[in-house]
Amino acid sequence: MKLFSLLAALLLVSSAGAVVPKAQYTGLEPTNEPLPRVPGAFSLSMNKDGDKDSWNMVAHDEAGLYYALQAQQQLTAAYGESLPASLYVQDYPRYQWRGLHVDVSRHFFDKETIKKLLDRMAALRLNRLHLHLTDGPGWRLEVKRYPLLTQEAAWRKKLPKNDWNWHDNRLGTAYPELYGGFYTQEDMRELIEYARQRHITIVPEIDMPGHFAAALEAYPHLAHPAYKTGNWPYSYDFLNVEEPAVMDFVCHVLDELMEIFPKGNPIHIGGDEVDLHLVSAEQQRVFLQQLVDYLNERGYPPITWDEAATNGVRGQTVMLWRSEKVDEVLALGLPTILCPNSHFYFDYPQSTSPSEPQSMPAPLITVEKVFSYSAPKNAHVIGMQGNLWSEYIYTPELLFHKAFPRAAAMAERAWGSPLRPFDSFMRDYVRLRPQNQR
């Protein structure tokens, strides 16, 4: 017998304010189905013994126990004395990668903001935070071997407007007012541990061979011959992949990442949006394949954007952002994370309201559109991720406004919850979120 729908939704009552993905099964009696042996699976049962509630939890791993404890707290908070005499919950995720991506290069978010985001993610059972640490507008992680990456390339001229202006980006410290920042290696270790306690893995990205202007301004000898330094818009901000010093540089950077992040932690190496008439597909393939092999040999699973996969790189997980490339990429047989720009780019506008903050000039992605996403049924799909690019996300308030409630809707799809009406989902979200976010 299925319990009433409100209980089946397992509504979250916490400071995070969100709606937990709907449970796979909730009823008054245990299901006959065994608990699947997948990470994060759990069962939770309760029987009243006089005035006392007796709870029992079963899980295959620590993540499952963590989610079971969350569910117990949520049910207790939501129902109090109205809990039924007995109940049984069985829950497990469809996908093992349930992620959120934040671009901290174009605009920097300090570690306290990232911690608040991790809290919100944990409430939604999201388990991967992908940090886009490098790009043209700033380098955001300390690399001790190359101090100019943070002494110079983590800073830029402060502009009159808060948003990042494509046409007036000046890197360096030779300006009276500066904007920027970076994470020290100790900051990152602190964030890794904070995330680990919430069963979230932080995935660092060093995007290459393109989107490299910040580093090229600090170390110009690494630049492609077509690169023009010191004058925005930076054209052709690519590494010179034919220059031996470049491979030494990027391997040294990856070596320091591997000293910070635990073995087995995925590392993203980019591989997107490089002009083929300047750096051929074969040149990119050879360069990125070397890095994929370098990480695999050392026990750090590599990730690339989908361009690298369609260029012939193999041995990595693919992050698919070009929605029109889904069939082509899945046909390659590589593990694939879906973050299509048609549904999961949360920097895109989410409403037509006059109060909608400035966004990328891009198609509307409403929370309902996110909620309605249907992933292809393919064994190579290992997860989903929402992406936040920060051209116009210049404050923590804007970051959270852009992320939620769309991240909650994506979490529902990534968990693989039984369908519930969108209107019910939104009513629960509005009811439970904190007062200052209504």
Side-chain angles (χ1 to χ4, degrees):
M1 175 182 177
K2 287 294 183 78
L3 203 55
F4 45 95
S5 61
L6 188 58
L7 182 56
L10 279 182
L11 303 183
L12 175 67
V13 179
S14 76
S15 60
V19 180
V20 165
K22 184 177 178 181
Q24 306 298 343
Y25 173 85
T26 305
L28 298 177
E29 300 293 337
T31 174
N32 292 325
E33 297 296 322
L35 182 64
R37 295 199 69 88
V38 298
F42 71 89
S43 65
L44 175 67
S45 60
M46 188 278 293
N47 289 282
K48 286 188 178 294
D49 183 7
D51 294 332
K52 184 179 180 182
D53 298 334
S54 178
W55 295 88
N56 184 56
M57 302 174 192
V58 175
H60 300 309
D61 58 13
E62 290 185 5
L65 179 60
Y66 178 79
Y67 298 143
L69 287 167
Q70 276 191 327
Q72 177 193 0
Q73 293 166 4
Q74 292 148 14
L75 289 164
T76 301
Y79 292 96
E81 298 299 321
S82 300
L83 274 170
S86 65
L87 65 88
Y88 181 87
V89 177
Q90 184 180 106
D91 211 357
Y92 49 89
R94 177 184 181 188
Y95 294 121
Q96 291 311 305
W97 189 291
R98 306 182 300 280
L100 202 60
H101 158 286
V102 177
D103 167 16
V104 296
S105 172
R106 290 172 177 84
H107 282 290
F108 179 66
F109 301 102
D110 64 22
K111 66 180 180 181
E112 296 308 316
T113 299
I114 298 301
K115 287 179 179 179
K116 291 176 183 177
L117 184 65
L118 288 164
D119 289 341
R120 294 291 299 274
M121 291 176 63
L124 294 169
R125 298 180 189 164
L126 298 175
N127 67 349
R128 300 288 189 276
L129 175 60
H130 171 185
L131 289 180
H132 188 77
L133 293 167
T134 70
D135 211 303
W139 186 284
R140 305 300 181 197
L141 181 65
E142 177 188 27
V143 180
K144 293 181 179 179
R145 186 167 183 140
Y146 299 107
L148 295 181
L149 291 174
T150 45
Q151 289 176 10
E152 292 291 326
W155 307 95
R156 63 180 187 249
K157 177 183 177 182
K158 188 173 182 179
L159 300 176
K161 292 176 65 178
N162 284 322
D163 62 325
W164 173 60
N165 190 317
W166 289 80
H167 302 292
D168 194 25
N169 190 36
R170 299 288 187 272
L171 284 162
T173 55
Y175 306 102
E177 291 187 273
L178 295 177
Y179 174 85
F182 63 92
Y183 307 109
T184 67
Q185 293 192 4
E186 284 308 305
D187 287 339
M188 188 55 67
R189 290 188 177 96
E190 181 181 335
L191 287 172
I192 291 167
E193 175 59 20
Y194 191 90
R196 186 197 65 78
Q197 293 174 6
R198 289 152 181 78
H199 294 276
I200 298 172
T201 298
I202 294 182
V203 180
E205 181 184 357
I206 307 296
D207 197 358
M208 46 192 166
H211 295 286
F212 222 72
L216 300 182
E217 288 296 292
Y219 296 97
H221 68 285
L222 304 172
H224 188 280
Y227 178 69
K228 304 298 182 186
T229 186
N231 186 24
W232 188 260
Y234 296 112
S235 299
Y236 311 125
D237 59 342
F238 315 140
L239 286 163
N240 184 356
V241 298
E242 299 294 288
E243 168 57 52
V246 165
M247 185 57 66
D248 290 341
F249 173 88
V250 298
C251 286
H252 291 152
V253 169
L254 292 176
D255 287 345
E256 291 205 25
L257 270 186
M258 289 185 278
E259 291 174 4
I260 300 167
F261 287 84
K263 195 164 187 176
N265 201 105
I267 294 178
H268 201 305
I269 55 172
D272 63 316
E273 296 185 322
V274 176
D275 289 359
L276 294 177
H277 74 283
L278 289 173
V279 186
S280 71
E282 178 63 11
Q283 288 174 317
Q284 294 183 52
R285 186 195 68 76
V286 170
F287 174 76
L288 289 166
Q289 189 67 61
Q290 286 180 276
L291 298 181
V292 164
D293 294 343
Y294 190 82
L295 291 171
N296 274 326
E297 289 165 2
R298 287 155 180 79
Y300 287 82
I303 303 174
T304 70
W305 296 110
D306 58 63
E307 288 96 325
T310 56
N311 280 348
V313 179
R314 296 294 182 268
Q316 80 280 26
T317 294
V318 181
M319 200 163 275
L320 190 146
W321 71 275
R322 296 180 295 173
S323 55
E324 73 277 10
K325 297 290 183 178
V326 171
D327 292 340
E328 180 181 349
V329 170
L330 290 178
L332 299 174
L334 294 167
T336 302
I337 300 157
L338 300 174
C339 49
N341 58 353
S342 59
H343 287 76
F344 291 165
Y345 266 40
F346 297 163
D347 51 302
Y348 286 14
Q350 59 185 320
S351 79
T352 57
S353 168
S355 63
E356 177 73 17
Q358 185 178 12
S359 303
M360 290 292 288
L364 187 69
I365 297 181
T366 64
V367 62
E368 185 170 10
K369 185 172 184 179
V370 176
F371 191 82
S372 69
Y373 182 72
S374 180
K377 295 181 179 179
N378 188 296
H380 300 304
V381 175
I382 66 167
M384 297 179 182
Q385 178 172 285
N387 287 356
L388 288 151
W389 299 97
S390 65
E391 283 89 344
Y392 298 102
I393 304 177
Y394 48 82
T395 66
E397 292 75 20
L398 281 171
L399 178 69
F400 284 87
H401 174 84
K402 288 287 191 179
F404 303 102
R406 289 182 290 188
M410 188 273 299
E412 186 104 359
R413 298 283 73 81
W415 190 264
S417 299
L419 289 179
R420 59 173 157 180
F422 174 71
D423 289 347
S424 171
F425 168 83
M426 282 306 298
R427 280 196 303 270
D428 294 338
Y429 181 84
V430 171
R431 183 171 67 84
L432 292 172
R433 63 181 169 167
Q435 290 290 335
N436 62 3
Q437 294 183 30
R438 295 192 181 189

